[in-house]
Each structure stands twice: as structure tokens, then as C-alpha cells.
Amino acid sequence: MCFSENQSYLNAFLLASAGLYKISTPKIGLVGLYFSLKELLQGLLYKYHYKNDKDMKRLYATLSYVHICFQPLVLSIFFSHFDPNP
């Protein structure tokens, strides 16, 4: 977890860049892109934390929850890349 909105956006950019760089290996590239989405959602949650737009906060909180629900699947896909018996 980051400590500021700007740091979340920076991490999202770095993870997306790494994911796009390794997209030739889909299991690694897609994981980088997936976790860059997490950082983007976190930055947007920081942005709307102090605003009075409850609908946007609810939307981003729901998307974050769905993202967290699929993290075990994505991590399993990532670790399957290193399995010696494909």
C-alpha cells in the first residue's frame, strides 16, 4: 500500500511499463498490467477520499474489492510460469 495519490500513480505507471515490456511472455506481462490496475484504483480512491462524491467512492471501492477477489487467480497464473512441468 502506498502513502499518497502521486506514489500510486507512479507505481501504476512503472508496473504498466514493466507489464508491457514483458507482454511477449503473457503470464508475466498480464500480471504486471493487472497489478498496475490495482495501483491506479488505489490512486483514484485517494483522489476521491476527501471529496463528497459518494457514488465514485462506492464505484472504486467495489472495483477494488473485485480486484482483490481475483488476486489469488492471477498469482497462480504468475507462479505457473515457473513450473518446470507445464
Side-chain angles (χ1 to χ4, degrees):
M1 181 170 194
C2 296
F3 299 103
S4 71
E5 178 183 355
N6 292 335
Q7 185 68 41
S8 293
Y9 293 142
L10 176 65
N11 288 346
F13 173 75
L14 293 174
L15 282 166
S17 299
L20 290 173
Y21 178 75
K22 293 299 282 184
I23 201 67
S24 61
T25 310
K27 288 182 180 178
I28 295 178
L30 292 176
V31 170
L33 293 172
Y34 183 79
F35 285 113
S36 72
L37 178 62
K38 174 189 72 82
E39 292 295 332
L40 179 63
L41 286 171
Q42 183 173 319
L44 291 170
L45 278 168
Y46 275 120
K47 180 178 181 177
Y48 288 101
H49 180 69
Y50 294 109
K51 294 186 178 183
N52 235 359
D53 194 352
K54 292 185 183 214
D55 291 334
M56 292 302 287
K57 283 196 286 190
R58 184 175 296 125
L59 172 69
Y60 290 130
T62 303
L63 288 174
S64 294
Y65 178 77
V66 170
H67 190 278
I68 288 170
C69 289
F70 284 101
Q71 280 184 4
L73 173 67
V74 173
L75 283 176
S76 293
I77 292 170
F78 174 71
F79 287 127
S80 74
H81 173 75
F82 303 103
D83 185 17
N85 303 320

Short mmCIF file of all heavy atoms in Angstrom, two decimals, residues 32-55:
data_model
loop_
_atom_site.label_atom_id
_atom_site.label_comp_id
_atom_site.label_asym_id
_atom_site.label_seq_id
_atom_site.Cartn_x
_atom_site.Cartn_y
_atom_site.Cartn_z
N GLY A 32 1.75 -8.01 -14.50
CA GLY A 32 2.19 -6.63 -14.29
C GLY A 32 1.09 -5.63 -14.60
O GLY A 32 0.88 -4.67 -13.87
N LEU A 33 0.37 -5.87 -15.68
CA LEU A 33 -0.74 -4.98 -16.03
C LEU A 33 -1.87 -5.07 -15.01
O LEU A 33 -2.51 -4.07 -14.67
CB LEU A 33 -1.25 -5.30 -17.43
CG LEU A 33 -0.27 -4.99 -18.56
CD1 LEU A 33 -0.81 -5.52 -19.88
CD2 LEU A 33 0.00 -3.51 -18.63
N TYR A 34 -2.13 -6.29 -14.52
CA TYR A 34 -3.19 -6.47 -13.53
C TYR A 34 -2.88 -5.70 -12.24
O TYR A 34 -3.74 -5.02 -11.69
CB TYR A 34 -3.34 -7.96 -13.22
CG TYR A 34 -4.45 -8.27 -12.25
CD1 TYR A 34 -5.77 -8.30 -12.68
CD2 TYR A 34 -4.19 -8.53 -10.91
CE1 TYR A 34 -6.79 -8.58 -11.80
CE2 TYR A 34 -5.20 -8.82 -10.03
CZ TYR A 34 -6.50 -8.85 -10.48
OH TYR A 34 -7.52 -9.12 -9.59
N PHE A 35 -1.63 -5.78 -11.79
CA PHE A 35 -1.30 -5.08 -10.55
C PHE A 35 -1.11 -3.58 -10.77
O PHE A 35 -1.22 -2.79 -9.83
CB PHE A 35 -0.08 -5.72 -9.89
CG PHE A 35 -0.45 -7.01 -9.22
CD1 PHE A 35 0.05 -8.20 -9.68
CD2 PHE A 35 -1.32 -7.03 -8.15
CE1 PHE A 35 -0.30 -9.41 -9.08
CE2 PHE A 35 -1.70 -8.22 -7.55
CZ PHE A 35 -1.19 -9.41 -8.02
N SER A 36 -0.87 -3.15 -12.01
CA SER A 36 -0.87 -1.71 -12.26
C SER A 36 -2.29 -1.16 -12.15
O SER A 36 -2.49 -0.02 -11.71
CB SER A 36 -0.29 -1.41 -13.64
OG SER A 36 -1.17 -1.78 -14.67
N LEU A 37 -3.28 -1.99 -12.50
CA LEU A 37 -4.68 -1.59 -12.31
C LEU A 37 -4.98 -1.40 -10.82
O LEU A 37 -5.70 -0.47 -10.45
CB LEU A 37 -5.60 -2.63 -12.92
CG LEU A 37 -7.10 -2.40 -12.77
CD1 LEU A 37 -7.51 -1.11 -13.48
CD2 LEU A 37 -7.87 -3.57 -13.33
N LYS A 38 -4.41 -2.25 -9.98
CA LYS A 38 -4.59 -2.11 -8.53
C LYS A 38 -4.08 -0.75 -8.05
O LYS A 38 -4.73 -0.05 -7.29
CB LYS A 38 -3.87 -3.22 -7.79
CG LYS A 38 -3.89 -3.07 -6.27
CD LYS A 38 -3.00 -4.06 -5.58
CE LYS A 38 -1.56 -3.77 -5.75
NZ LYS A 38 -0.97 -2.78 -4.88
N GLU A 39 -2.90 -0.38 -8.53
CA GLU A 39 -2.32 0.90 -8.12
C GLU A 39 -3.13 2.08 -8.65
O GLU A 39 -3.30 3.08 -7.96
CB GLU A 39 -0.87 0.99 -8.59
CG GLU A 39 0.06 0.04 -7.89
CD GLU A 39 0.22 0.32 -6.41
OE1 GLU A 39 0.08 1.49 -5.98
OE2 GLU A 39 0.48 -0.64 -5.67
N LEU A 40 -3.64 1.94 -9.87
CA LEU A 40 -4.48 3.00 -10.42
C LEU A 40 -5.76 3.17 -9.60
O LEU A 40 -6.16 4.29 -9.26
CB LEU A 40 -4.82 2.71 -11.88
CG LEU A 40 -5.72 3.72 -12.57
CD1 LEU A 40 -5.02 5.08 -12.64
CD2 LEU A 40 -6.10 3.24 -13.95
N LEU A 41 -6.39 2.06 -9.25
CA LEU A 41 -7.60 2.13 -8.41
C LEU A 41 -7.29 2.75 -7.06
O LEU A 41 -8.07 3.53 -6.53
CB LEU A 41 -8.18 0.73 -8.23
CG LEU A 41 -8.92 0.14 -9.42
CD1 LEU A 41 -9.25 -1.32 -9.16
CD2 LEU A 41 -10.17 0.93 -9.72
N GLN A 42 -6.14 2.41 -6.51
CA GLN A 42 -5.76 2.97 -5.21
C GLN A 42 -5.54 4.47 -5.32
O GLN A 42 -5.97 5.23 -4.45
CB GLN A 42 -4.49 2.29 -4.73
CG GLN A 42 -4.05 2.75 -3.36
CD GLN A 42 -2.90 1.93 -2.86
OE1 GLN A 42 -2.87 0.73 -3.03
NE2 GLN A 42 -1.94 2.58 -2.26
N GLY A 43 -4.91 4.93 -6.40
CA GLY A 43 -4.73 6.36 -6.59
C GLY A 43 -6.06 7.08 -6.74
O GLY A 43 -6.26 8.17 -6.19
N LEU A 44 -6.99 6.48 -7.45
CA LEU A 44 -8.30 7.10 -7.61
C LEU A 44 -9.07 7.10 -6.28
O LEU A 44 -9.82 8.04 -6.00
CB LEU A 44 -9.09 6.38 -8.70
CG LEU A 44 -8.54 6.57 -10.11
CD1 LEU A 44 -9.23 5.64 -11.08
CD2 LEU A 44 -8.68 8.02 -10.55
N LEU A 45 -8.88 6.07 -5.47
CA LEU A 45 -9.52 6.07 -4.15
C LEU A 45 -8.95 7.19 -3.28
O LEU A 45 -9.68 7.83 -2.52
CB LEU A 45 -9.34 4.72 -3.47
CG LEU A 45 -10.33 3.65 -3.91
CD1 LEU A 45 -9.90 2.29 -3.40
CD2 LEU A 45 -11.72 3.97 -3.40
N TYR A 46 -7.64 7.43 -3.37
CA TYR A 46 -7.05 8.56 -2.65
C TYR A 46 -7.65 9.87 -3.14
O TYR A 46 -7.94 10.77 -2.36
CB TYR A 46 -5.53 8.62 -2.84
CG TYR A 46 -4.75 7.76 -1.90
CD1 TYR A 46 -3.92 6.76 -2.39
CD2 TYR A 46 -4.79 7.95 -0.52
CE1 TYR A 46 -3.18 5.97 -1.55
CE2 TYR A 46 -4.06 7.16 0.33
CZ TYR A 46 -3.26 6.18 -0.18
OH TYR A 46 -2.53 5.40 0.67
N LYS A 47 -7.84 10.00 -4.45
CA LYS A 47 -8.36 11.23 -5.03
C LYS A 47 -9.76 11.55 -4.51
O LYS A 47 -10.08 12.69 -4.19
CB LYS A 47 -8.36 11.12 -6.54
CG LYS A 47 -8.88 12.33 -7.25
CD LYS A 47 -8.81 12.14 -8.75
CE LYS A 47 -9.31 13.37 -9.46
NZ LYS A 47 -9.18 13.24 -10.91
N TYR A 48 -10.60 10.52 -4.44
CA TYR A 48 -11.99 10.75 -4.05
C TYR A 48 -12.24 10.54 -2.55
O TYR A 48 -13.37 10.64 -2.10
CB TYR A 48 -12.93 9.84 -4.85
CG TYR A 48 -13.04 10.29 -6.28
CD1 TYR A 48 -12.33 9.65 -7.29
CD2 TYR A 48 -13.84 11.37 -6.62
CE1 TYR A 48 -12.41 10.08 -8.60
CE2 TYR A 48 -13.93 11.80 -7.93
CZ TYR A 48 -13.21 11.15 -8.90
OH TYR A 48 -13.30 11.58 -10.21
N HIS A 49 -11.18 10.31 -1.79
CA HIS A 49 -11.35 10.06 -0.36
C HIS A 49 -11.92 11.29 0.37
O HIS A 49 -12.81 11.16 1.21
CB HIS A 49 -10.02 9.67 0.27
CG HIS A 49 -10.10 9.39 1.73
ND1 HIS A 49 -10.76 8.30 2.24
CD2 HIS A 49 -9.62 10.07 2.80
CE1 HIS A 49 -10.69 8.32 3.55
NE2 HIS A 49 -9.99 9.38 3.92
N TYR A 50 -11.43 12.45 0.04
CA TYR A 50 -11.86 13.65 0.74
C TYR A 50 -12.94 14.43 0.00
O TYR A 50 -13.44 15.43 0.50
CB TYR A 50 -10.66 14.57 1.01
CG TYR A 50 -9.68 13.94 1.96
CD1 TYR A 50 -8.45 13.51 1.53
CD2 TYR A 50 -10.02 13.76 3.29
CE1 TYR A 50 -7.56 12.91 2.40
CE2 TYR A 50 -9.14 13.16 4.18
CZ TYR A 50 -7.91 12.75 3.72
OH TYR A 50 -7.04 12.16 4.58
N LYS A 51 -13.30 13.97 -1.18
CA LYS A 51 -14.38 14.63 -1.91
C LYS A 51 -15.71 14.08 -1.43
O LYS A 51 -15.79 13.03 -0.83
CB LYS A 51 -14.21 14.43 -3.41
CG LYS A 51 -12.98 15.12 -3.93
CD LYS A 51 -12.91 15.04 -5.41
CE LYS A 51 -11.69 15.80 -5.88
NZ LYS A 51 -11.59 15.82 -7.32
N ASN A 52 -16.76 14.77 -1.73
CA ASN A 52 -18.09 14.36 -1.26
C ASN A 52 -18.85 13.56 -2.30
O ASN A 52 -20.05 13.50 -2.27
CB ASN A 52 -18.90 15.61 -0.89
CG ASN A 52 -19.42 15.51 0.52
OD1 ASN A 52 -19.19 14.53 1.20
ND2 ASN A 52 -20.12 16.54 0.95
N ASP A 53 -18.15 12.94 -3.23
CA ASP A 53 -18.79 12.16 -4.29
C ASP A 53 -18.88 10.70 -3.85
O ASP A 53 -18.01 9.89 -4.13
CB ASP A 53 -17.99 12.30 -5.58
CG ASP A 53 -18.76 11.81 -6.78
OD1 ASP A 53 -19.85 11.22 -6.59
OD2 ASP A 53 -18.28 12.01 -7.90
N LYS A 54 -19.95 10.37 -3.16
CA LYS A 54 -20.10 9.02 -2.61
C LYS A 54 -20.26 7.97 -3.69
O LYS A 54 -19.86 6.82 -3.51
CB LYS A 54 -21.27 8.97 -1.64
CG LYS A 54 -21.02 9.78 -0.40
CD LYS A 54 -22.13 9.60 0.59
CE LYS A 54 -21.84 10.51 1.76
NZ LYS A 54 -22.26 9.96 3.01
N ASP A 55 -20.85 8.33 -4.82
CA ASP A 55 -21.04 7.37 -5.90
C ASP A 55 -19.70 6.91 -6.48
O ASP A 55 -19.50 5.72 -6.72
CB ASP A 55 -21.91 7.95 -7.01
CG ASP A 55 -23.35 8.15 -6.57
OD1 ASP A 55 -23.79 7.42 -5.66
OD2 ASP A 55 -24.02 9.03 -7.13
#
